[in-house]
Amino acid sequence: HSFVPKIKRWHLRRTAYVRHGCQHPPSYPHKNPYGFDLMELSKEAYQAHRYLDFTGALFARYGKTYQIKQSGKTIIRTADPEVCKAIYATHFENFGLQPIRYEGGKGFFGNGILVTDGQRWKRSRALLRPAFDVAHVANFERLEKHVSRFLKLLPRDGSTVDLMPGLKRLTLDISTDFIFGKSMNALESPEACQDFLRAFTSAQRGVVTPEAARDKDFEQACKQILDFIDERVEEAFARSASGKANANSRERVRLIDELIKETQDRISLRYLVLSAFSPAHDTVAVTLTNTFFHLARNPTSWNKLRSEILPTSSRPLTYELLNSYRYLDWVLKETHRITPVAPASQRQCLTSTVLSTGSGLDGLSPLFIEAGTIVETNFRAMQRDKTYWGEDTEVFRPERWEAVRPGWRYIPFSGGPRICPAMKLVYTECGYVLVRMLREYARLECRDPIHEWVEERRLIYQSKNGALVGLVP
Ligand code: HEM
């Protein structure tokens, strides 16, 4: 039996290399056949908070697509836009994440959208999409409620403040209001929700840690979060039964109430909202922290933003007004380019595939990817590649967006059918907070003795030193 697949695999490989002219991608020059040498260097870089720069530099050295060994397994790494396009769009069906994420994640994420492929993924996506299609233009009233509360907590005497903790509490309130229909009131006090967040972080960390190495409290943490979500699901059923959910309108979209219209299966509902809450609860805060981090070091950009938004600062901040600010859009785009919160992602090849480009020493020959191989796509390296962005690629310069139309060279929200459904919502929320801050403060001063952005890895990558600033009205 095992003989037949072997012949089939041999035949596929032969066809790829002989008929299609595929080449092998360059290999990392390992000293250890299992790849432990690179794993050790990666660990050192990770501990020194410079893993992102370390991996980014390897592309310049070995090619936009190269292969490594990791614990004996071959992994293809790529920062080639054409290869990313092939994986995320052209050959979307042939590359999945379920084999990588499902086993570790099922105790927490169940059958949710973040850990499944195929029909299960398709169904979750179809259920979630309609609410995301309107969420970015809705909810402005709620946004204002939370943002004005956040602004009241900020110093007005120019004293130094790290914006990250407050932005995280703000994002928690905005996202729980949208997803569960009820804010967690994290802005009420710094301690509020800390216990919940600790459990959430522990559960999230646990799903990407081998079972034997997980925290002791992993199962308890999962239970705490799932119990919390189940309570929100019951509240939504009660709203639905009493007719209160129908008060939902374009101005007040509650994700959970929208979902209940489509499915009454409690387990599906639990994992749908959890899968939205997981990326939602901190990514916007981390992006905004990065935005303020860059702006504090670039007062000219802060002043340009002020010139753009001040002439309309007495008008209500509507979706249309927000969208009319061009420089604001460039600032956010540039923040995602240079400091993406999700710098890389992985897929496993499900069906052996020939990509039209990506291999050989010049990276232009067809690339054969065999079923089972893991491909790591590095968005950050692509977004900082000098050959695409010029010599000043490491510099925060929003003005570059006047001329660039980057296509697949810039995919901080991924691309293709699995693109982040919240991309527009993220732009709205970040833009809203930024404009409200610009209306309040004339100056944003850098108070951080360290100039560079230093990475800190959670599930996403955030600024280790937050955004230490002085706000001058
Ligand atoms: C700065 C903010 C954000 C960034 C940069 C971001 C980026 C991404 C990326 C790169 C993916 C694809 C991951 C992969 O396939 O491996 C993704 C997926 C996803 N994101 Fe976001 N995200 C952000 C915020 C959010 C928010 C606020 C929500 C929810 C309110 C959200 C919901 C989702 C969901 C549900 C998926 C899975 C989509 C699918 O598999 O079909 N994201 N996001």
Side-chain angles (χ1 to χ4, degrees):
H1 275 107
S2 65
F3 192 56
V4 177
K6 264 190 192 157
I7 292 184
K8 209 174 149 195
R9 278 209 303 272
W10 174 83
H11 184 67
L12 273 173
R13 253 184 251 138
R14 211 182 110 82
T15 312
Y17 289 101
V18 176
R19 176 123 44 95
H20 296 286
C22 290
Q23 303 272 319
H24 290 283
S27 293
Y28 179 86
H30 285 289
K31 293 191 181 77
N32 175 288
Y34 297 97
F36 294 134
D37 52 344
L38 182 59
M39 286 164 75
E40 190 54 37
L41 290 176
S42 303
K43 191 171 148 203
E44 278 167 25
Y46 171 73
Q47 284 167 348
H49 302 278
R50 48 173 194 83
Y51 179 75
L52 293 176
D53 284 344
F54 172 74
T55 41
L58 296 180
F59 290 101
R61 204 130 148 219
Y62 301 110
K64 290 192 205 304
T65 302
Y66 69 96
Q67 55 188 12
I68 61 161
K69 288 274 181 212
Q70 199 167 294
S71 302
K73 273 197 194 146
T74 300
I75 295 188
I76 295 182
R77 285 181 165 174
T78 188
D80 180 336
E82 289 305 316
V83 175
C84 289
K85 183 178 164 191
I87 286 165
Y88 289 109
T90 322
H91 300 288
F92 171 71
E93 304 276 345
N94 293 4
F95 293 88
L97 49 76
Q98 187 169 311
I100 311 170
R101 294 192 195 163
Y102 185 73
E103 272 309 308
K106 68 181 179 200
F108 188 48
F109 290 118
N111 282 340
I113 190 169
L114 300 178
V115 294
T116 52
D117 296 329
Q119 286 308 319
R120 281 193 285 195
W121 164 76
K122 222 176 225 169
R123 177 158 164 73
S124 299
R125 182 91 190 181
L127 286 167
L128 284 172
R129 246 200 71 186
F132 280 101
D133 283 348
V134 292
H136 61 288
V137 281
N139 296 342
F140 271 64
E141 206 183 294
R142 277 192 282 181
L143 209 44
E144 177 54 33
K145 187 178 92 188
H146 299 302
V147 176
S148 56
R149 213 167 162 198
F150 165 72
L151 290 175
K152 284 202 188 93
L153 298 177
L154 295 178
R156 296 190 64 82
D157 59 358
S159 55
T160 300
V161 59
D162 177 8
L163 292 174
M164 186 151 77
L167 286 168
K168 284 204 169 171
R169 286 158 65 197
L170 168 66
T171 298
L172 207 49
D173 283 353
I174 294 173
S175 60
T176 48
D177 207 346
F178 163 53
I179 293 168
F180 305 133
K182 187 168 143 189
S183 157
M184 276 185 103
N185 267 332
L187 284 171
E188 206 157 274
S189 80
E191 291 75 36
C193 314
Q194 284 312 314
D195 188 43
F196 176 86
L197 279 183
R198 248 191 309 277
F200 202 84
T201 310
S202 166
Q204 270 190 325
R205 205 184 300 128
V207 302
V208 290
T209 310
E211 214 168 321
R214 277 176 182 162
D215 287 353
K216 281 195 299 294
D217 67 347
F218 171 71
E219 274 172 33
Q220 180 52 35
C222 291
K223 185 175 177 325
Q224 183 180 343
I225 304 302
L226 296 177
D227 286 350
F228 171 87
I229 303 242
D230 290 346
E231 279 171 35
R232 305 288 83 75
V233 171
E234 291 313 318
E235 283 170 8
F237 272 113
R239 270 197 303 277
S240 167
S242 68
K244 283 189 185 148
N246 295 338
N248 239 355
S249 71
R250 242 173 97 81
E251 279 69 51
R252 195 175 165 81
V253 177
R254 279 191 192 110
L255 182 68
I256 196 164
D257 290 359
E258 295 300 308
L259 292 170
I260 260 184
K261 292 178 194 163
E262 303 300 325
T263 175
Q264 282 74 50
D265 176 33
R266 285 177 158 74
I267 299 295
S268 298
L269 283 165
R270 170 208 262 188
Y271 291 124
L272 281 164
V273 288
L274 175 60
S275 304
F277 180 65
S278 178
H281 82 285
D282 61 351
T283 44
V284 168
V286 171
T287 301
L288 276 166
T289 302
N290 290 337
T291 312
F292 289 112
F293 178 98
H294 295 304
L295 289 172
R297 285 152 181 79
N298 292 277
T300 315
S301 290
W302 181 261
N303 292 337
K304 273 194 184 179
L305 278 171
R306 290 258 302 168
S307 317
E308 181 174 54
I309 68 105
L310 284 191
T312 45
S313 64
S314 58
R315 281 172 47 189
L317 189 47
T318 58
Y319 178 68
E320 288 70 28
L321 183 56
L322 201 54
N323 257 324
S324 69
Y325 299 136
R326 211 159 72 117
Y327 194 72
L328 179 91
D329 184 50
W330 295 353
V331 164
L332 293 175
K333 280 194 174 119
E334 185 70 345
T335 302
H336 290 301
R337 181 186 75 79
I338 197 161
T339 39
V341 300
S345 189
Q346 284 189 339
R347 290 292 186 265
Q348 184 159 332
C349 180
L350 307 174
T351 310
S352 298
T353 310
V354 172
L355 273 52
S356 60
T357 184
S359 77
L361 286 179
D362 59 2
L364 297 174
S365 299
L367 170 66
F368 176 60
I369 307 185
E370 193 157 17
T373 309
I374 290 179
V375 186
E376 198 175 284
T377 51
N378 195 317
F379 310 145
R380 180 183 184 268
M382 237 161 35
Q383 291 166 187
R384 286 175 170 238
D385 187 330
K386 281 189 183 150
T387 60
Y388 302 139
W389 301 89
E391 282 304 310
D392 69 349
T393 181
E394 309 273 317
V395 180
F396 177 84
R397 190 171 65 81
E399 290 73 13
R400 77 174 77 242
W401 287 93
E402 179 152 31
V404 291
R405 299 286 173 273
W408 283 85
R409 294 168 181 185
Y410 177 80
I411 47 167
F413 291 88
S414 186
R418 240 180 151 146
I419 190 170
C420 176
M423 183 171 78
K424 288 184 180 162
L425 181 67
V426 171
Y427 271 93
T428 295
E429 290 182 359
C430 290
Y432 197 97
V433 176
L434 193 49
V435 171
R436 292 289 280 108
M437 294 279 281
L438 286 155
R439 285 180 175 187
E440 295 287 324
Y441 296 103
R443 285 208 318 272
L444 174 77
E445 293 174 356
C446 180
R447 298 283 169 79
D448 189 344
I450 300 168
H451 186 81
E452 297 79 37
W453 188 90
V454 182
E455 75 186 39
E456 178 173 47
R457 183 168 176 218
R458 296 289 170 101
L459 264 195
I460 55 172
Y461 279 83
Q462 65 183 29
S463 160
K464 181 171 178 287
N465 301 319
L468 219 51
V469 299
L471 296 158
V472 183

